[in-house]
DNA sequence: GTAAGGTTGTTGCC
DNA sequence: GGCAACAACCTTAC
């Protein structure tokens, strides 16, 4: 049978290692590569302007790659459950393919869509390619329990064998006998909108440091993989949070949108490692991909993963409600130059180093301001190009010592931490020009500078740059005691998500489909 | 029940 | 630059 197929792009904005797309082209007459601008996302999540730009660029790149295969991308605005049935009818669709997405909204959306597809007699083929492994299987292989430590996850996936090898992008050979019906008004009806078309305010767009798209992703991957010595020696904790040129790969935004396949990344690293001495997980680059896998797994296994309440793995903390402090943190005016610099870089450029994320996350939550990690999660969701539902929630829980990480007495100093890798404060001077003339001695704590020094630097603390909003020395000690109290309140059954019976079986979309297909 | 280990803390001393 | 002390959490493995 010759199918009319929609391949629905959501994440996975790429042609390489895209098994659902390859499946779409099999026994296919007409292929419709589709992207839906689902209003649910801007309504229920935060998408900053830099993230929008990255997405639009990724779509443009996809369209240009599809053109080379004599196809095009169809961009349609509207909710999937409304748009897809119309397209099923209009295009006489018999098959729908897409990449599995484990986020809660995606899961419920896809279940609805699969129900509709059945009504319309459309066959559905979901494929796993966003993660290294089938996340449901990781939990199954761990006796139905969510792995709560990285070491546990490592031993589970080790027993599962290597991640699958990536598959190549479709070629003109794969496209033989397959066509995309295009109308003369394709651009008007299905073209990729500009940021202006979407009614977005582009005045706060930052410098264009990380253009979106698969081609850019693969180019950057090649560039980094050529640095074999650097790749083999990579140890995450030893990279610098405040170097002027990123000390890590910054491939995360590309992996987030699926412009780069995690499996492609994994196997390219394996090629570099082969026959050489190299670092290992958790600190190696392979280790970083496994951290991603870890948080994807816990996000599936732990209900209410992006919240404190109703999240049984999460320590329940009496966080303060302090809108002034929250705004100061978000808007880079805490009075701590290291913190304000990181928040400035985040807002302008959409990326900050992992350890810089640690510093500002600790500061907002258990370190200084005692504000809920959920508030920080919202800000990162908006501003980080690589912000991802599972990873964002997981890392905020980690840093706030709410879940996974429990050594709450280890507190980052907003003054000392940055000095380790940037003694002179060059990073601060780059992003906070108001402090540019401050002598090195006071760059991390300008409020300590004598008045004459402040005057010479052309920056009076309290007037041109804020005074620190808290006394770190006092407040961090107090907060350690508050954490101690929060931990003491935990009842024994709070202490582990896996106490009691196994996680009730909730079959993945792929498994549901397989079960249906067998009938 | 206990010991070991946990990506990535800070300070002060040598 | 290395090391101990600081205070002491959790999960896992035995």
């Amino acid at each position: 049978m010759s199918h009319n197929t929609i391949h629905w792009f959501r994440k996975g904005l790429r042609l390489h290692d895209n098994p659902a797309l390859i499946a779409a082209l099999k026994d296919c007459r007409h292929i419709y590569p589709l992207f839906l601008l689902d209003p649910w996302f801007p309504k229920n999540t935060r998408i900053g302007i830099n993230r929008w730009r990255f997405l639009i660029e990724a779509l443009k790149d996809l369209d240009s790659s599809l053109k080379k295969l004599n196809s095009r991308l169809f961009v349609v605005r509207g909710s999937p459950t409304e748009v897809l049935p119309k397209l099923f009818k209009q295009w006489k669709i018999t098959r729908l393919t897409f990449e599995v997405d484990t986020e809660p909204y995606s899961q419920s959306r896809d279940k609805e869509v699969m129900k509709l597809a059945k009504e319309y007699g459309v066959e559905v083929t979901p494929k796993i390619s966003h993660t290294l492994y089938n996340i449901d299987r990781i939990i199954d292989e761990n006796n139905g329990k969510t792995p709560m430590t990285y070491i546990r996850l490592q031993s589970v996936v080790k027993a599962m064998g290597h991640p699958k090898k990536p598959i190549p992008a479709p070629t003109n050979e794969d496209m033989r006998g397959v066509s995309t019906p295009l109308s003369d008004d394709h651009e008007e009806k299905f073209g990729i909108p500009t940021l202006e078309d979407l009614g977005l305010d582009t005045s706060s767009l930052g410098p264009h440091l990380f253009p979106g798209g698969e081609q850019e992703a693969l180019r950057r991957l090649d560039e980094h993989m050529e640095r074999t010595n650097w790749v083999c020696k990579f140890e995450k904790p030893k990279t610098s949070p405040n170097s002027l040129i990123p000390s890590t790969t910054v491939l995360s935004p590309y992996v987030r949108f699926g412009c780069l396949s995690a499996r492609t990344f994994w196997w390219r690293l394996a090629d570099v490692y082969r026959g050489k001495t190299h670092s290992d997980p958790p600190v190696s680059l392979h280790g970083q991909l496994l951290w991603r896998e870890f948080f994807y797994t816990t996000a599936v296994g732990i209900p209410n993963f992006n919240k404190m309440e109703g999240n049984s793995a999460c320590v329940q903390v009496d966080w303060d409600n302090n809108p002034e402090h929250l705004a100061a943190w978000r808007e880079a005016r805490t009075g701590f130059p290291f913190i304000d610099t990181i928040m400035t870089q985040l807002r302008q450029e959409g990326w900050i180093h992992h350890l810089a994320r640690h510093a500002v996350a600790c500061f907002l939550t258990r370190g200084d301001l005692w504000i809920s990690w959920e508030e920080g999660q919202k800000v990162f969701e908006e501003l980080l190009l690589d912000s991802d539902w599972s990873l964002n929630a997981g890392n905020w829980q980690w840093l706030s010592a709410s879940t996974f990480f429990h050594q709450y007495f280890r507190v980052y100093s907003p003054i000392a931490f940055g000095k380790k890798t940037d003694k002179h404060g060059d990073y601060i001077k780059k992003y906070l020009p108001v402090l540019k003339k401050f002598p090195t001695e006071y760059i991390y704590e300008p409020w300590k500078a004598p008045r004459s020094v402040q005057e010479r630097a052309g920056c009076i603390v309290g007037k041109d740059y804020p005074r620190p909003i808290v006394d770190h020395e006092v407040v961090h000690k107090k907060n350690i005691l508050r954490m101690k109290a929060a931990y003491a309140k935990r009842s024994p059954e709070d202490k582990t998500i896996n106490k009691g019976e196994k996680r009730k079986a909730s079959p993945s979309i792929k498994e549901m489909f397989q079960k249906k297909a067998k009938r």
Side-chain angles (χ1 to χ4, degrees):
Chain A
M1 181 193 170
S2 247
H3 281 284
N4 292 331
T5 308
I6 288 176
H7 175 73
W8 181 15
F9 285 100
R10 301 97 64 86
K11 292 175 184 171
L13 301 179
R14 63 171 182 270
L15 299 193
H16 75 279
D17 193 32
N18 194 334
L21 177 62
I22 297 293
L25 299 174
K26 231 179 156 191
D27 305 320
C28 180
R29 182 176 45 188
H30 291 152
I31 175 78
Y32 296 88
L34 177 70
F35 185 85
L36 297 180
L37 283 164
D38 180 350
W40 187 90
F41 284 102
K43 209 182 284 172
N44 296 284
T45 70
R46 291 155 194 80
I47 312 174
I49 190 68
N50 287 333
R51 266 182 78 197
W52 271 115
R53 174 169 65 183
F54 193 98
L55 170 67
I56 296 299
E57 286 168 348
L59 295 178
K60 279 188 190 158
D61 180 68
L62 204 52
D63 190 34
S64 88
S65 297
L66 288 165
K67 275 185 197 168
K68 289 176 193 155
L69 296 171
N70 291 316
S71 182
R72 289 295 299 270
L73 186 66
F74 293 72
V75 177
V76 179
R77 297 193 208 186
S79 96
T81 48
E82 282 167 24
V83 171
L84 285 169
K86 286 184 198 158
L87 296 179
F88 290 162
K89 249 167 66 186
Q90 193 184 330
W91 292 340
K92 301 188 169 60
I93 294 301
T94 56
R95 183 171 56 192
L96 172 69
T97 66
F98 56 76
E99 178 184 67
V100 168
D101 187 330
T102 57
E103 290 178 21
Y105 168 69
S106 308
Q107 287 280 311
S108 63
R109 172 198 64 194
D110 292 349
K111 271 174 195 163
E112 286 299 307
V113 164
M114 287 172 75
K115 235 197 281 174
L116 285 167
K118 201 178 175 190
E119 283 169 29
Y120 284 76
V122 173
E123 171 188 324
V124 182
T125 305
K127 295 274 185 188
I128 291 169
S129 49
H130 188 63
T131 46
L132 298 173
Y133 296 91
N134 176 340
I135 298 299
D136 290 307
R137 236 197 97 200
I138 294 178
I139 294 173
D140 289 346
E141 295 288 323
N142 194 40
N143 299 320
K145 294 175 177 181
T146 310
M148 293 300 285
T149 64
Y150 186 85
I151 288 179
R152 187 73 214 134
L153 177 105
Q154 256 187 299
S155 80
V156 175
V157 299
K158 201 175 176 187
M160 289 168 70
H162 295 301
K164 277 192 183 149
K165 290 246 167 97
I167 58 170
T171 60
N172 283 311
E173 189 56 35
D174 295 307
M175 293 296 285
R176 197 192 289 223
V178 186
S179 67
T180 299
L182 294 169
S183 55
D184 291 339
D185 57 358
H186 180 87
E187 213 59 61
E188 289 145 55
K189 273 160 79 180
F190 301 113
I192 298 162
T194 63
L195 296 173
E196 288 78 9
D197 292 340
L198 293 168
L200 297 164
D201 173 19
T202 55
S203 64
S204 55
L205 266 175
H208 202 194
L209 300 179
F210 313 108
E214 179 183 16
Q215 295 313 306
E216 185 68 23
L218 293 173
R219 193 186 64 71
R220 285 171 181 246
L221 178 68
D222 285 344
E223 235 172 57
H224 288 296
M225 293 306 102
E226 274 170 28
R227 308 159 69 193
T228 53
N229 193 42
W230 180 80
V231 168
C232 288
K233 285 194 170 146
F234 185 93
E235 291 183 40
K236 185 65 163 282
K238 289 187 181 165
T239 58
S240 162
N242 45 9
S243 54
L244 300 186
I245 305 282
S247 62
T248 52
T249 67
V250 200
L251 288 170
S252 52
Y254 300 92
V255 179
R256 151 67 178 83
F257 283 93
C259 300
L260 174 62
S261 153
R263 299 188 297 213
T264 299
F265 194 178
W266 177 276
W267 283 103
R268 285 293 295 278
L269 286 166
D271 288 343
V272 175
Y273 290 156
R274 197 160 299 125
K276 297 191 186 73
T277 309
H278 60 82
S279 55
D280 282 306
V283 297
S284 64
L285 282 165
H286 261 178
Q288 304 314 302
L289 289 169
L290 287 177
W291 277 107
R292 176 173 178 271
E293 211 72 4
F294 174 68
F295 288 123
Y296 266 105
T297 307
T298 54
V300 166
I302 300 171
N304 300 311
F305 192 64
N306 65 335
K307 298 185 182 77
M308 177 178 81
E309 279 179 39
N311 177 341
S312 57
C314 182
V315 179
Q316 305 295 302
V317 178
D318 62 332
W319 302 112
D320 287 338
N321 178 25
N322 189 330
E324 289 81 17
H325 278 180
L326 175 58
W329 178 82
R330 192 176 52 225
E331 292 159 19
R333 43 184 179 80
T334 66
F336 290 91
F338 184 55
I339 300 299
D340 294 339
T341 301
I342 295 167
M343 295 307 287
T344 300
Q345 186 190 17
L346 169 63
R347 185 167 297 275
Q348 289 177 359
E349 301 179 358
W351 181 87
I352 49 178
H353 184 276
H354 188 66
L355 291 176
R357 302 180 195 199
H358 278 218
V360 295
C362 185
F363 185 87
L364 178 73
T365 59
R366 66 187 168 87
D368 295 84
L369 302 185
W370 203 258
I371 290 172
S372 168
W373 58 267
E374 290 176 46
E375 294 300 329
Q377 178 180 238
K378 290 179 200 166
V379 174
F380 275 21
E381 177 179 277
E382 177 188 351
L383 298 177
L384 278 174
L385 292 174
D386 59 28
S387 69
D388 174 282
W389 194 88
S390 309
L391 275 53
N392 198 24
N395 278 302
W396 272 100
Q397 284 171 82
W398 185 291
L399 254 299
S400 60
S402 299
T403 314
F404 312 119
F405 174 82
H406 307 283
Q407 289 152 290
Y408 55 77
F409 36 86
R410 290 189 182 171
V411 178
Y412 288 88
S413 160
I415 298 143
F417 185 64
K419 286 185 186 172
K420 287 197 288 189
T421 42
D422 179 25
K423 222 169 36 179
H424 302 296
D426 295 335
Y427 175 66
I428 291 168
K429 292 179 178 180
K430 176 179 174 184
Y431 290 95
L432 300 182
V434 67
L435 297 174
K436 216 155 97 187
K437 290 183 182 162
F438 254 87
T440 297
E441 193 185 350
Y442 299 110
I443 191 71
Y444 282 89
E445 30 195 352
W447 62 91
K448 284 194 178 164
R451 180 82 185 185
S452 61
V453 172
Q454 296 185 29
E455 276 166 5
R456 264 202 304 281
C459 175
I460 307 298
V461 174
K463 180 169 151 263
D464 305 307
Y465 181 74
R467 274 186 251 280
I469 57 171
V470 288
D471 183 340
H472 175 72
E473 269 317 299
V474 174
V475 88
H476 96 268
K477 284 181 186 151
K478 193 178 122 196
N479 288 349
I480 288 174
L481 295 175
R482 287 180 89 171
M483 273 320 264
K484 190 181 165 73
Y487 269 86
K489 269 194 193 163
R490 297 181 92 187
S491 60
E493 57 267 29
D494 284 344
K495 289 192 179 182
T496 164
I497 175 97
N498 288 322
K499 210 153 198 168
E501 75 286 17
K502 286 180 188 176
R503 169 175 173 261
K504 69 165 184 270
S506 66
S508 69
I509 280 168
K510 197 185 176 194
E511 284 163 352
M512 274 177 60
F513 169 70
Q514 283 167 343
K515 276 174 202 158
K516 274 180 193 160
K518 274 177 202 159
R519 267 179 228 148

